[in-house]
Amino acid sequence: MAPAVRSRGFIALALLPALLLFLVFVIVPIFWSAYYGLFDWKGLGSAKFIGLGNYEEILQDEIFWRALKNNLILVASSIAGQIPIALLLALLLLRNTLFSRFIRSAVFMPMVLSTVVVGLIWGYIYHPQFGLANAVLEWLGLESWTRAWLSDPKVNMLAVSIPINWSNVGPYLIIFIAALQNISSEIDDAAKIDGAVGWRKLISVTLPMIWGTVVVSLVLCISGSLKAFDHVIVMTGGGPAQSTELLATYMYNNTFDVYRYGYGSAVSTMIIVISALLIGLQYALTGRKKEG
Amino acid sequence: MKKSQASRVGVTLALASMMLAACGGNNEGGGANGNAPAPEASGNNGNGAKQEKVKLTLWHNFAGDDLRAKTVRSFIDQFKQDNPDVELDAQAIPPDGYRQRLATVAAANEMPDLSFVYAGSHSTELYKAGLLQPITELTDANPEWKGKFLPGAFDPYTFEPNQIYTAPLGMSATSILYYNTSLFEKYSVKVPTTWDEMLAAIKTFNDHGITPIALGNKAPWVAQSTIIGSLADRVTGTEWFKNAAAQKDAKFTDPQFVEALGYFKQLVDNKAFQEGANSIDNTQAEQYFIQGNAAMMVSGAWTLTNLAAAASEEQMKPIDVTVLPAIPGGKGDANSITGGAGGGLALSSRTTGAAKEAALKLIYTLSGPEAQKAIAESNSMVMYDTEIDQSKVTSLYYKAFNLVKKTGITPVYDAILSAEGAEALNNGLQELMMDGKPEDVAQKVQDAQARSVTP
């Protein structure tokens, strides 16, 4: 008993510094900004308490809903894009050959690039006059498909989500490879004896074995997409006419461009609430699937 | 990003409360700034006993490699040399993040002694928050210097009668019409002085596969600052705009403003701008124009500075400058460009005593006669009556310098509108470039402006 208690005390002690930092710089500001969301405040001068006024305004602001919709498009595109692509590549590149290591590094590379660089590169790819995307389409004889990718509101969310997915596949690939390598060889052998190969093995053996990892990746994916900010700020700044506005850029613009700190704080609180809701929903869904 | 944003706000707030607490205690501390834990405090080799060094902090955004920034920095260095008793901590912050960073320290009541502020809502907000103090004693002490500023130079900084808060370092001229004379000659197009000639020119250039007007409106202030301000002023006259901005007897939903937006829409409908103008930035548009892909570009004096740094003299030779064409039946002066006083150094209300004296001296160093002439000769407009040496500047700048001397100056929209109103107009113009209607945009501008002006 005694050693257990002592070690528990030691664990608490060892965690304390990190926990304190986390509390002071992450948890407390969350409540703080929720509190400041109750004020009409320009960031300078005095703040006027307006109760839930900011939150009411948010719910009535069509730009907020558009930003939320754009964020959900990003969430959908990263769940449909990043996770399956990363899983597929992980299955293909599991072996430690020179070739697969090369491909792995290549897929991981954009993750190492600064997002500003990624944004600038893709900004040039999409450039309406000299862009690579349009040039390739013209070369293929698809002139009618060329367009100003980042300023045409019909396609610009899609155009923006491609580089975001491109630069985020890498980490999931690594996570999946690690998980796949953790499946012990006995299970492989057992599956072989039972005659489970190919597709069947993937569905009945491999996926269930790494399901925990998939769920964690989904959480990372959802929260990552809800926090998305940097790529969009560099490529479009949320424009034109707020057509690629995300929750985070909407908050940033309100806070730092229009000097509505109170309103911006309220928006950031909404982002947290929405993230929590989505992740809760996702846990409920994936949890049931696991039982079934 | 969300987390770090939140923590940034948190840290700011924490600092704010600490600073507030600290300020209560050290009133007699004068202009000393709490944010310099420098090692000098513990005795300057023992001989600093007689006279303590005056500490002065300065934030500015002359961080770039362009001539103007270098010129201003050289004057700062000069000041340091001439005033060994002043310990100047000058922070050069890149322009892109400058306003945000200043807003953050302002929220924490931790403003540097001197900070570079912009005309319009930026400095007004700081003034309203009680963070600035006037520098009138400096202008009163140097009447000759004050007298040589161009009319209106102090208007945006006269927050209360007879009190001047800063002297502008430069001038913003935001709606110069740049045009490529060789393209105009090649297709024998007349340089437009009326709206019909403008539309005719646009049609001719489009027929020949030349972009009529290069525009980079990704950062959405560009179309507003360079085109609509001047265009709208020609239609409505300056008086109406000032009233509408103050929401007195005029509204942005008034027919004349809708008409002005309609002229912008006409440019869009006639394909005056290259495709995707909303997704490339102003610098890319400048490149596109200087390479001869576009016949015209409406841009500010900053383009002179950028071109001086990036383009060859040969590329610049065929470029000439003029004003936007007149609008039929317009109430405003057609021979005008939008512009006004540029930014200047503002003095923190917390700075007193010796630090204040040093600060005023530094303001004079950076916006005095010598600095104004040097800035003007760095291919950058000034709001000050000075003669420049033609051999020191680019030919294009010299043309623009002389053009601006002859034209009237009308207000830049986002310098007068509230931050919210300007944002609504910026986004509205992007909407017009997509599928928006002038009436809807006018309504949005009106709503935003009304909300921010009425308390």
Side-chain angles (χ1 to χ4, degrees), chain B residues 178-230:
Chain B
Y178 296 81
Y179 61 97
N180 187 326
T181 49
S182 43
L183 287 173
F184 272 79
E185 274 162 30
K186 188 172 172 194
Y187 301 108
S188 45
V189 182
K190 184 175 179 297
V191 177
T193 53
T194 67
W195 191 250
D196 286 340
E197 285 172 359
M198 184 62 155
L199 294 180
I202 289 170
K203 183 164 186 315
T204 312
F205 286 121
N206 269 330
D207 288 347
H208 291 92
I210 302 275
T211 300
I213 303 176
L215 173 67
N217 197 37
K218 178 176 151 192
W221 56 267
V222 177
Q224 170 261 119
S225 184
T226 65
I227 300 178
I228 201 67
S230 217

Side-chain angles (χ1 to χ4, degrees), chain B residues 392-408:
Chain B
K392 285 192 176 167
V393 297
T394 63
S395 60
L396 181 57
Y397 172 77
Y398 198 69
K399 288 176 199 164
F401 189 80
N402 288 323
L403 172 77
V404 170
K405 274 187 176 172
K406 286 183 306 199
T407 55

Side-chain angles (χ1 to χ4, degrees), chain B residues 71-117:
Chain B
T71 307
V72 175
R73 286 204 302 269
S74 75
F75 276 89
I76 294 174
D77 292 340
Q78 186 68 40
F79 177 85
K80 277 186 192 167
Q81 265 180 18
D82 295 347
N83 297 278
D85 58 319
V86 177
E87 191 183 310
L88 177 65
D89 174 19
Q91 302 269 350
I93 294 160
D96 276 352
Y98 182 74
R99 287 171 84 128
Q100 285 85 344
R101 283 188 61 180
L102 197 64
T104 311
V105 288
N109 194 18
E110 218 189 38
M111 291 267 285
D113 294 315
L114 285 173
S115 45
F116 184 77
V117 298

Side-chain angles (χ1 to χ4, degrees), chain A residues 93-96 100-108 173 177:
Chain A
L93 303 173
L94 191 52
R95 263 164 300 164
N96 241 340
S100 68
R101 260 183 301 177
F102 172 73
I103 299 285
R104 260 187 255 166
S105 318
V107 173
F108 196 74
L173 172 69
I177 286 182

Side-chain angles (χ1 to χ4, degrees), chain B residues 43-384:
Chain B
N44 253 326
N45 303 329
N47 61 4
K50 277 176 281 176
Q51 201 184 5
E52 233 178 88
K53 271 197 164 192
V54 180
K55 267 191 266 177
L56 194 62
T57 48
L58 161 69
W59 278 27
H60 62 85
N61 66 0
F62 301 97
D65 249 349
D66 55 294
L67 267 180
R68 171 169 125 112
K70 282 184 191 161
T71 307
V72 175
R73 286 204 302 269
S74 75
F75 276 89
I76 294 174
D77 292 340
Q78 186 68 40
F79 177 85
K80 277 186 192 167
Q81 265 180 18
D82 295 347
N83 297 278
D85 58 319
V86 177
E87 191 183 310
L88 177 65
D89 174 19
Q91 302 269 350
I93 294 160
D96 276 352
Y98 182 74
R99 287 171 84 128
Q100 285 85 344
R101 283 188 61 180
L102 197 64
T104 311
V105 288
N109 194 18
E110 218 189 38
M111 291 267 285
D113 294 315
L114 285 173
S115 45
F116 184 77
V117 298
Y118 302 96
S121 57
H122 184 237
S123 48
T124 311
E125 298 289 349
L126 293 172
Y127 162 74
K128 278 191 194 153
L131 296 166
L132 306 180
Q133 60 173 310
I135 59 154
T136 319
E137 54 192 276
L138 181 68
T139 50
D140 285 351
N142 301 283
E144 198 182 324
W145 170 59
K146 185 188 172 190
K148 286 193 96 177
F149 278 93
L150 301 184
F154 295 112
D155 286 0
Y157 300 115
T158 311
F159 298 124
E160 46 201 278
N162 302 320
Q163 292 288 7
I164 290 169
Y165 277 76
T166 183
L169 280 185
M171 167 180 181
S172 66
T174 71
S175 66
I176 301 168
L177 176 63
Y178 296 81
Y179 61 97
N180 187 326
T181 49
S182 43
L183 287 173
F184 272 79
E185 274 162 30
K186 188 172 172 194
Y187 301 108
S188 45
V189 182
K190 184 175 179 297
V191 177
T193 53
T194 67
W195 191 250
D196 286 340
E197 285 172 359
M198 184 62 155
L199 294 180
I202 289 170
K203 183 164 186 315
T204 312
F205 286 121
N206 269 330
D207 288 347
H208 291 92
I210 302 275
T211 300
I213 303 176
L215 173 67
N217 197 37
K218 178 176 151 192
W221 56 267
V222 177
Q224 170 261 119
S225 184
T226 65
I227 300 178
I228 201 67
S230 217
L231 216 53
D233 189 84
R234 281 161 168 65
V235 180
T236 66
T238 308
E239 217 35 54
W240 176 89
F241 172 56
K242 285 190 170 158
N243 288 338
Q247 295 285 300
K248 274 190 315 202
D249 314 322
K251 284 183 172 164
F252 286 100
T253 42
D254 289 350
Q256 54 264 56
F257 187 66
V258 176
E259 188 193 337
L261 291 174
Y263 282 110
F264 182 75
K265 182 80 179 159
Q266 276 186 38
L267 292 178
V268 176
D269 290 344
N270 286 289
K271 301 210 180 311
F273 310 116
Q274 83 280 16
E275 205 201 354
N278 274 334
S279 61
I280 69 169
D281 61 36
N282 190 55
T283 319
Q284 287 174 310
E286 283 169 357
Q287 295 298 329
Y288 190 73
F289 169 70
I290 197 73
Q291 284 161 8
N293 298 309
M296 294 175 270
M297 175 162 185
V298 191
S299 192
W302 58 82
T303 293
L304 298 167
T305 318
N306 294 350
L307 291 182
S312 67
E313 186 68 28
E314 199 176 316
Q315 281 176 310
M316 275 195 279
K317 209 181 274 168
I319 310 297
D320 206 341
V321 288
T322 183
V323 294
L324 280 173
I327 301 283
K331 286 205 184 75
D333 172 15
N335 183 31
S336 69
I337 54 172
T338 46
L345 295 181
L347 184 58
S348 160
S349 53
R350 297 186 304 139
T351 307
T352 53
K356 182 174 168 184
E357 262 165 49
L360 290 175
K361 212 193 260 181
L362 180 56
I363 292 178
Y364 187 76
T365 309
L366 292 188
S367 50
E370 273 175 56
Q372 298 282 3
K373 181 171 157 65
I375 292 172
E377 285 176 348
S378 69
N379 296 309
S380 176
M381 298 278 176
V382 291
M383 200 86 187
Y384 190 80

